[in-house]
Amino acid sequence: MPDFSDEAEVTAETKRHTRVGLLAHRRALTAGQRAAAAGRVVAALTDLVRRLRPRRLAGYVPVGSEPGGPDLPAALRAALPPSADLLLPVLRPDLDLDWAVYDGVLVAAGRGMREPAGPRLGVTAIAGADLVVVPALAVDRRGLRLGRGGGSYDRALARVPATVPTVALLHDGELVGSLPAQPHDRPVRAVVTPASGVIELSPGPDVGPGTSAGRTRVR
């Protein structure tokens, strides 16, 4: 049953206000700043991929000012072992995420996005990934991420086993002390920023089901 409490409404409104500010900051970045940030983020992330050597990596295709830039899928695929798969999301009409293997080709999709053209593997395909890379507008020190509000990645992250490293890509200044949170929000284990590279986070016991003990370290 939906939660119509005053607290829930205040949290949703706070999230909307926070998103507006973060998106405005990203739009203010120059093309040169975006390109420089993308280069540093991709370098740190591909180094992590080469060290972890996942057999299946779930990533995404950045759009607009999102960190990583448009060449992120190609860079991730090049960093993987030859026999490994890179899964990329396919947005469903209900805003859930299906997945397909990236073979080097992306096709235009709705909402200005690009997606792989291969066979759809189903929404649960992300559960078989050894490393998951997700977008975020901001992440706090507990690992809670703020997305664009559709809930697509909260649903996807809920399917990821607790032992799997999950990493969000950010611009500098988007790792913050605290973010407004709701019960459906799912934490990530680490972030990558241009200035600091990979930063491992320490979610508290009240953050959600993805914070159980014994999880594989990101580094």
Side-chain angles (χ1 to χ4, degrees), residues 156-192:
L157 287 170
R159 301 179 180 116
V160 177
T163 54
V164 174
T166 50
V167 183
L169 307 187
L170 301 175
H171 287 291
D172 290 328
E174 294 176 347
L175 176 60
V176 300
S178 180
L179 286 169
Q182 293 173 292
H184 65 264
D185 292 330
R186 293 293 184 269
V188 294
R189 298 263 320 284
V191 300
V192 179

Side-chain angles (χ1 to χ4, degrees), residues 41-50 54 57-62 68-69 71-81 84-88 102 131-134 169:
V41 165
V42 169
L45 181 59
T46 54
D47 179 66
L48 177 67
V49 171
R50 291 188 180 102
L57 166 62
Y60 68 99
V61 187
D71 297 327
L72 177 64
L76 291 176
R77 186 168 181 245
L80 285 169
D85 288 330
L86 171 59
L87 302 187
L88 295 179
Y102 174 59
L131 175 64
V132 176
V133 179
V134 299
L169 307 187

Side-chain angles (χ1 to χ4, degrees), residues 1-110:
M1 178 180 294
D3 184 354
F4 293 108
S5 68
D6 290 342
E7 182 179 356
E9 292 178 3
V10 169
T11 300
E13 181 59 32
T14 303
K15 280 186 169 184
R16 284 191 290 270
H17 179 75
T18 304
R19 284 189 191 98
V20 169
L22 290 164
L23 288 168
H25 179 266
R26 285 189 174 184
R27 285 193 296 269
L29 296 173
T30 67
Q33 289 172 323
R34 293 178 187 178
R40 289 192 288 268
V41 165
V42 169
L45 181 59
T46 54
D47 179 66
L48 177 67
V49 171
R50 291 188 180 102
R51 285 188 281 116
L52 294 182
R53 297 181 60 81
R55 293 165 299 175
R56 173 173 277 190
L57 166 62
Y60 68 99
V61 187
V63 297
S65 59
E66 288 184 336
D71 297 327
L72 177 64
L76 291 176
R77 186 168 181 245
L80 285 169
S83 60
D85 288 330
L86 171 59
L87 302 187
L88 295 179
V90 178
L91 187 66
R92 292 162 37 117
D94 63 358
L95 300 186
D96 207 341
L97 297 177
D98 206 329
W99 300 87
V101 174
Y102 174 59
D103 62 0
V105 178
L106 295 172
V107 298

Side-chain angles (χ1 to χ4, degrees), residues 15 18-19 22 135-139 144-148 179-180:
K15 280 186 169 184
T18 304
R19 284 189 191 98
L22 290 164
L137 292 177
V139 175
L144 289 173
R145 60 177 288 278
L146 182 69
R148 291 180 177 266
L179 286 169

